[in-house]
Amino acid sequence: MSAARANNNSDTYKATAITLILFGILYLLDKLVHFAAIGLPWVMNKDNFLLYTAIVFLLFKHDKSVGLVLAGLWLVLNFGLITALLGTMSAYLLPVALLVIGGILYVISTR
């Protein structure tokens, strides 16, 4: 049990370290290149930092629950953006997403 816990902490530290390094690189590049000046203001949008963190945790942490929660939180916070991008299809997105997530959770819980 302690080996699994140590591995979990190691994964968390690694993902956190990579996230901090990524944020440092992004801030440095923004000071040098100015993303807004080249037409990429969304790169330094504060909401997207949550998405960047979710992606890093999904890539580098063995337990995907933290990354999934962060990605879900980003989706909830940016639901207006997502529905604007999807247009008329957005009316079906929430019910389908709820059905898919519910089905996945049901399958996982019955194993």
PDB file of all heavy atoms in Angstrom, residues 8 11-12 53-54 57-73 105 108:
ATOM      1  N   ASN A   8       2.008   7.355  -6.257  1.00  0.00           N
ATOM      2  CA  ASN A   8       0.988   8.369  -6.504  1.00  0.00           C
ATOM      3  C   ASN A   8       1.534   9.760  -6.195  1.00  0.00           C
ATOM      4  O   ASN A   8       1.299  10.701  -6.939  1.00  0.00           O
ATOM      5  CB  ASN A   8      -0.258   8.069  -5.670  1.00  0.00           C
ATOM      6  CG  ASN A   8      -1.428   8.930  -6.056  1.00  0.00           C
ATOM      7  OD1 ASN A   8      -1.447   9.532  -7.120  1.00  0.00           O
ATOM      8  ND2 ASN A   8      -2.411   8.994  -5.193  1.00  0.00           N
ATOM      9  N   ASP A  11       3.955  10.756  -8.935  1.00  0.00           N
ATOM     10  CA  ASP A  11       3.231  11.201 -10.129  1.00  0.00           C
ATOM     11  C   ASP A  11       2.686  12.610  -9.946  1.00  0.00           C
ATOM     12  O   ASP A  11       2.744  13.423 -10.859  1.00  0.00           O
ATOM     13  CB  ASP A  11       2.056  10.261 -10.427  1.00  0.00           C
ATOM     14  CG  ASP A  11       2.497   8.948 -11.026  1.00  0.00           C
ATOM     15  OD1 ASP A  11       3.682   8.808 -11.349  1.00  0.00           O
ATOM     16  OD2 ASP A  11       1.632   8.065 -11.166  1.00  0.00           O
ATOM     17  N   THR A  12       2.158  12.873  -8.764  1.00  0.00           N
ATOM     18  CA  THR A  12       1.593  14.200  -8.487  1.00  0.00           C
ATOM     19  C   THR A  12       2.674  15.265  -8.518  1.00  0.00           C
ATOM     20  O   THR A  12       2.485  16.338  -9.108  1.00  0.00           O
ATOM     21  CB  THR A  12       0.885  14.202  -7.123  1.00  0.00           C
ATOM     22  OG1 THR A  12      -0.123  13.193  -7.123  1.00  0.00           O
ATOM     23  CG2 THR A  12       0.252  15.551  -6.829  1.00  0.00           C
ATOM     24  N   THR A  53      -3.348  22.699 -17.148  1.00  0.00           N
ATOM     25  CA  THR A  53      -3.071  21.858 -15.985  1.00  0.00           C
ATOM     26  C   THR A  53      -3.749  20.503 -16.134  1.00  0.00           C
ATOM     27  O   THR A  53      -3.154  19.468 -15.835  1.00  0.00           O
ATOM     28  CB  THR A  53      -3.543  22.559 -14.696  1.00  0.00           C
ATOM     29  OG1 THR A  53      -2.937  23.841 -14.616  1.00  0.00           O
ATOM     30  CG2 THR A  53      -3.189  21.746 -13.470  1.00  0.00           C
ATOM     31  N   ALA A  54      -4.997  20.494 -16.599  1.00  0.00           N
ATOM     32  CA  ALA A  54      -5.718  19.236 -16.793  1.00  0.00           C
ATOM     33  C   ALA A  54      -4.997  18.346 -17.799  1.00  0.00           C
ATOM     34  O   ALA A  54      -4.842  17.141 -17.571  1.00  0.00           O
ATOM     35  CB  ALA A  54      -7.145  19.520 -17.253  1.00  0.00           C
ATOM     36  N   PHE A  57      -1.814  16.878 -16.208  1.00  0.00           N
ATOM     37  CA  PHE A  57      -2.123  15.828 -15.249  1.00  0.00           C
ATOM     38  C   PHE A  57      -2.631  14.570 -15.945  1.00  0.00           C
ATOM     39  O   PHE A  57      -2.354  13.456 -15.497  1.00  0.00           O
ATOM     40  CB  PHE A  57      -3.126  16.323 -14.195  1.00  0.00           C
ATOM     41  CG  PHE A  57      -2.462  16.954 -13.009  1.00  0.00           C
ATOM     42  CD1 PHE A  57      -1.933  18.227 -13.084  1.00  0.00           C
ATOM     43  CD2 PHE A  57      -2.343  16.263 -11.821  1.00  0.00           C
ATOM     44  CE1 PHE A  57      -1.302  18.811 -12.001  1.00  0.00           C
ATOM     45  CE2 PHE A  57      -1.714  16.828 -10.731  1.00  0.00           C
ATOM     46  CZ  PHE A  57      -1.193  18.105 -10.819  1.00  0.00           C
ATOM     47  N   LEU A  58      -3.373  14.712 -17.034  1.00  0.00           N
ATOM     48  CA  LEU A  58      -3.819  13.540 -17.777  1.00  0.00           C
ATOM     49  C   LEU A  58      -2.646  12.827 -18.457  1.00  0.00           C
ATOM     50  O   LEU A  58      -2.644  11.604 -18.567  1.00  0.00           O
ATOM     51  CB  LEU A  58      -4.867  13.932 -18.818  1.00  0.00           C
ATOM     52  CG  LEU A  58      -6.256  14.239 -18.274  1.00  0.00           C
ATOM     53  CD1 LEU A  58      -7.136  14.826 -19.366  1.00  0.00           C
ATOM     54  CD2 LEU A  58      -6.896  12.990 -17.686  1.00  0.00           C
ATOM     55  N   LEU A  59      -1.662  13.585 -18.900  1.00  0.00           N
ATOM     56  CA  LEU A  59      -0.522  12.981 -19.584  1.00  0.00           C
ATOM     57  C   LEU A  59       0.489  12.345 -18.632  1.00  0.00           C
ATOM     58  O   LEU A  59       1.056  11.297 -18.935  1.00  0.00           O
ATOM     59  CB  LEU A  59       0.186  14.029 -20.449  1.00  0.00           C
ATOM     60  CG  LEU A  59      -0.565  14.518 -21.679  1.00  0.00           C
ATOM     61  CD1 LEU A  59       0.203  15.645 -22.353  1.00  0.00           C
ATOM     62  CD2 LEU A  59      -0.803  13.381 -22.646  1.00  0.00           C
ATOM     63  N   PHE A  60       0.735  12.976 -17.481  1.00  0.00           N
ATOM     64  CA  PHE A  60       1.863  12.567 -16.653  1.00  0.00           C
ATOM     65  C   PHE A  60       1.490  11.896 -15.337  1.00  0.00           C
ATOM     66  O   PHE A  60       2.364  11.433 -14.629  1.00  0.00           O
ATOM     67  CB  PHE A  60       2.775  13.770 -16.363  1.00  0.00           C
ATOM     68  CG  PHE A  60       3.475  14.266 -17.589  1.00  0.00           C
ATOM     69  CD1 PHE A  60       3.016  15.386 -18.265  1.00  0.00           C
ATOM     70  CD2 PHE A  60       4.568  13.595 -18.097  1.00  0.00           C
ATOM     71  CE1 PHE A  60       3.639  15.840 -19.407  1.00  0.00           C
ATOM     72  CE2 PHE A  60       5.211  14.036 -19.231  1.00  0.00           C
ATOM     73  CZ  PHE A  60       4.740  15.161 -19.896  1.00  0.00           C
ATOM     74  N   LYS A  61       0.232  11.842 -14.991  1.00  0.00           N
ATOM     75  CA  LYS A  61      -0.168  11.207 -13.732  1.00  0.00           C
ATOM     76  C   LYS A  61      -0.876   9.906 -14.054  1.00  0.00           C
ATOM     77  O   LYS A  61      -1.769   9.858 -14.898  1.00  0.00           O
ATOM     78  CB  LYS A  61      -1.072  12.146 -12.934  1.00  0.00           C
ATOM     79  CG  LYS A  61      -1.369  11.672 -11.538  1.00  0.00           C
ATOM     80  CD  LYS A  61      -1.939  12.811 -10.720  1.00  0.00           C
ATOM     81  CE  LYS A  61      -2.513  12.386  -9.403  1.00  0.00           C
ATOM     82  NZ  LYS A  61      -1.713  11.503  -8.621  1.00  0.00           N
ATOM     83  N   HIS A  62      -0.481   8.842 -13.389  1.00  0.00           N
ATOM     84  CA  HIS A  62      -1.055   7.523 -13.649  1.00  0.00           C
ATOM     85  C   HIS A  62      -2.545   7.500 -13.322  1.00  0.00           C
ATOM     86  O   HIS A  62      -3.341   6.967 -14.081  1.00  0.00           O
ATOM     87  CB  HIS A  62      -0.301   6.455 -12.849  1.00  0.00           C
ATOM     88  CG  HIS A  62      -0.791   5.078 -13.101  1.00  0.00           C
ATOM     89  ND1 HIS A  62      -0.597   4.439 -14.307  1.00  0.00           N
ATOM     90  CD2 HIS A  62      -1.490   4.221 -12.320  1.00  0.00           C
ATOM     91  CE1 HIS A  62      -1.153   3.247 -14.250  1.00  0.00           C
ATOM     92  NE2 HIS A  62      -1.697   3.089 -13.062  1.00  0.00           N
ATOM     93  N   ASP A  63      -2.926   8.077 -12.186  1.00  0.00           N
ATOM     94  CA  ASP A  63      -4.333   8.170 -11.790  1.00  0.00           C
ATOM     95  C   ASP A  63      -4.940   9.371 -12.512  1.00  0.00           C
ATOM     96  O   ASP A  63      -4.583  10.510 -12.253  1.00  0.00           O
ATOM     97  CB  ASP A  63      -4.444   8.334 -10.269  1.00  0.00           C
ATOM     98  CG  ASP A  63      -5.870   8.439  -9.798  1.00  0.00           C
ATOM     99  OD1 ASP A  63      -6.765   7.991 -10.543  1.00  0.00           O
ATOM    100  OD2 ASP A  63      -6.096   8.961  -8.693  1.00  0.00           O
ATOM    101  N   LYS A  64      -5.844   9.115 -13.419  1.00  0.00           N
ATOM    102  CA  LYS A  64      -6.386  10.167 -14.284  1.00  0.00           C
ATOM    103  C   LYS A  64      -7.492  10.987 -13.639  1.00  0.00           C
ATOM    104  O   LYS A  64      -8.003  11.912 -14.244  1.00  0.00           O
ATOM    105  CB  LYS A  64      -6.927   9.550 -15.582  1.00  0.00           C
ATOM    106  CG  LYS A  64      -5.928   8.715 -16.342  1.00  0.00           C
ATOM    107  CD  LYS A  64      -4.759   9.535 -16.808  1.00  0.00           C
ATOM    108  CE  LYS A  64      -3.803   8.690 -17.634  1.00  0.00           C
ATOM    109  NZ  LYS A  64      -2.494   9.218 -17.729  1.00  0.00           N
ATOM    110  N   SER A  65      -7.876  10.684 -12.397  1.00  0.00           N
ATOM    111  CA  SER A  65      -9.031  11.347 -11.787  1.00  0.00           C
ATOM    112  C   SER A  65      -8.818  12.853 -11.622  1.00  0.00           C
ATOM    113  O   SER A  65      -9.737  13.637 -11.868  1.00  0.00           O
ATOM    114  CB  SER A  65      -9.380  10.702 -10.449  1.00  0.00           C
ATOM    115  OG  SER A  65      -8.290  10.815  -9.552  1.00  0.00           O
ATOM    116  N   VAL A  66      -7.642  13.272 -11.225  1.00  0.00           N
ATOM    117  CA  VAL A  66      -7.384  14.711 -11.038  1.00  0.00           C
ATOM    118  C   VAL A  66      -7.488  15.445 -12.370  1.00  0.00           C
ATOM    119  O   VAL A  66      -8.125  16.497 -12.469  1.00  0.00           O
ATOM    120  CB  VAL A  66      -6.008  14.951 -10.390  1.00  0.00           C
ATOM    121  CG1 VAL A  66      -5.688  16.427 -10.318  1.00  0.00           C
ATOM    122  CG2 VAL A  66      -5.952  14.331  -9.017  1.00  0.00           C
ATOM    123  N   GLY A  67      -6.878  14.899 -13.392  1.00  0.00           N
ATOM    124  CA  GLY A  67      -6.945  15.522 -14.712  1.00  0.00           C
ATOM    125  C   GLY A  67      -8.364  15.574 -15.253  1.00  0.00           C
ATOM    126  O   GLY A  67      -8.770  16.571 -15.859  1.00  0.00           O
ATOM    127  N   LEU A  68      -9.143  14.524 -15.021  1.00  0.00           N
ATOM    128  CA  LEU A  68     -10.530  14.512 -15.481  1.00  0.00           C
ATOM    129  C   LEU A  68     -11.376  15.534 -14.731  1.00  0.00           C
ATOM    130  O   LEU A  68     -12.222  16.209 -15.327  1.00  0.00           O
ATOM    131  CB  LEU A  68     -11.126  13.109 -15.338  1.00  0.00           C
ATOM    132  CG  LEU A  68     -10.558  12.057 -16.287  1.00  0.00           C
ATOM    133  CD1 LEU A  68     -11.098  10.674 -15.942  1.00  0.00           C
ATOM    134  CD2 LEU A  68     -10.877  12.412 -17.726  1.00  0.00           C
ATOM    135  N   VAL A  69     -11.156  15.655 -13.429  1.00  0.00           N
ATOM    136  CA  VAL A  69     -11.899  16.650 -12.646  1.00  0.00           C
ATOM    137  C   VAL A  69     -11.542  18.055 -13.116  1.00  0.00           C
ATOM    138  O   VAL A  69     -12.422  18.910 -13.292  1.00  0.00           O
ATOM    139  CB  VAL A  69     -11.626  16.481 -11.141  1.00  0.00           C
ATOM    140  CG1 VAL A  69     -12.121  17.671 -10.349  1.00  0.00           C
ATOM    141  CG2 VAL A  69     -12.255  15.197 -10.631  1.00  0.00           C
ATOM    142  N   LEU A  70     -10.261  18.317 -13.347  1.00  0.00           N
ATOM    143  CA  LEU A  70      -9.847  19.640 -13.830  1.00  0.00           C
ATOM    144  C   LEU A  70     -10.411  19.936 -15.217  1.00  0.00           C
ATOM    145  O   LEU A  70     -10.866  21.047 -15.487  1.00  0.00           O
ATOM    146  CB  LEU A  70      -8.321  19.743 -13.833  1.00  0.00           C
ATOM    147  CG  LEU A  70      -7.639  19.765 -12.467  1.00  0.00           C
ATOM    148  CD1 LEU A  70      -6.130  19.688 -12.635  1.00  0.00           C
ATOM    149  CD2 LEU A  70      -8.031  21.001 -11.690  1.00  0.00           C
ATOM    150  N   ALA A  71     -10.402  18.940 -16.093  1.00  0.00           N
ATOM    151  CA  ALA A  71     -10.965  19.132 -17.432  1.00  0.00           C
ATOM    152  C   ALA A  71     -12.477  19.351 -17.350  1.00  0.00           C
ATOM    153  O   ALA A  71     -13.026  20.212 -18.061  1.00  0.00           O
ATOM    154  CB  ALA A  71     -10.654  17.928 -18.316  1.00  0.00           C
ATOM    155  N   GLY A  72     -13.147  18.621 -16.489  1.00  0.00           N
ATOM    156  CA  GLY A  72     -14.576  18.818 -16.302  1.00  0.00           C
ATOM    157  C   GLY A  72     -14.889  20.192 -15.749  1.00  0.00           C
ATOM    158  O   GLY A  72     -15.848  20.850 -16.175  1.00  0.00           O
ATOM    159  N   LEU A  73     -14.070  20.645 -14.819  1.00  0.00           N
ATOM    160  CA  LEU A  73     -14.242  21.986 -14.260  1.00  0.00           C
ATOM    161  C   LEU A  73     -14.038  23.048 -15.332  1.00  0.00           C
ATOM    162  O   LEU A  73     -14.791  24.018 -15.418  1.00  0.00           O
ATOM    163  CB  LEU A  73     -13.273  22.190 -13.099  1.00  0.00           C
ATOM    164  CG  LEU A  73     -13.368  23.486 -12.326  1.00  0.00           C
ATOM    165  CD1 LEU A  73     -14.744  23.644 -11.707  1.00  0.00           C
ATOM    166  CD2 LEU A  73     -12.307  23.519 -11.238  1.00  0.00           C
ATOM    167  N   LEU A 105     -19.635   5.557 -16.152  1.00  0.00           N
ATOM    168  CA  LEU A 105     -19.606   5.344 -14.700  1.00  0.00           C
ATOM    169  C   LEU A 105     -20.350   4.077 -14.309  1.00  0.00           C
ATOM    170  O   LEU A 105     -19.920   3.358 -13.391  1.00  0.00           O
ATOM    171  CB  LEU A 105     -20.192   6.556 -13.977  1.00  0.00           C
ATOM    172  CG  LEU A 105     -19.335   7.819 -13.991  1.00  0.00           C
ATOM    173  CD1 LEU A 105     -20.086   8.976 -13.370  1.00  0.00           C
ATOM    174  CD2 LEU A 105     -18.026   7.592 -13.279  1.00  0.00           C
ATOM    175  N   ILE A 108     -18.127   1.079 -15.193  1.00  0.00           N
ATOM    176  CA  ILE A 108     -17.006   0.985 -14.236  1.00  0.00           C
ATOM    177  C   ILE A 108     -17.482   0.475 -12.884  1.00  0.00           C
ATOM    178  O   ILE A 108     -16.806  -0.341 -12.246  1.00  0.00           O
ATOM    179  CB  ILE A 108     -16.313   2.369 -14.101  1.00  0.00           C
ATOM    180  CG1 ILE A 108     -15.572   2.704 -15.393  1.00  0.00           C
ATOM    181  CG2 ILE A 108     -15.352   2.378 -12.913  1.00  0.00           C
ATOM    182  CD1 ILE A 108     -15.015   4.113 -15.420  1.00  0.00           C
TER     183      ILE A 108
END
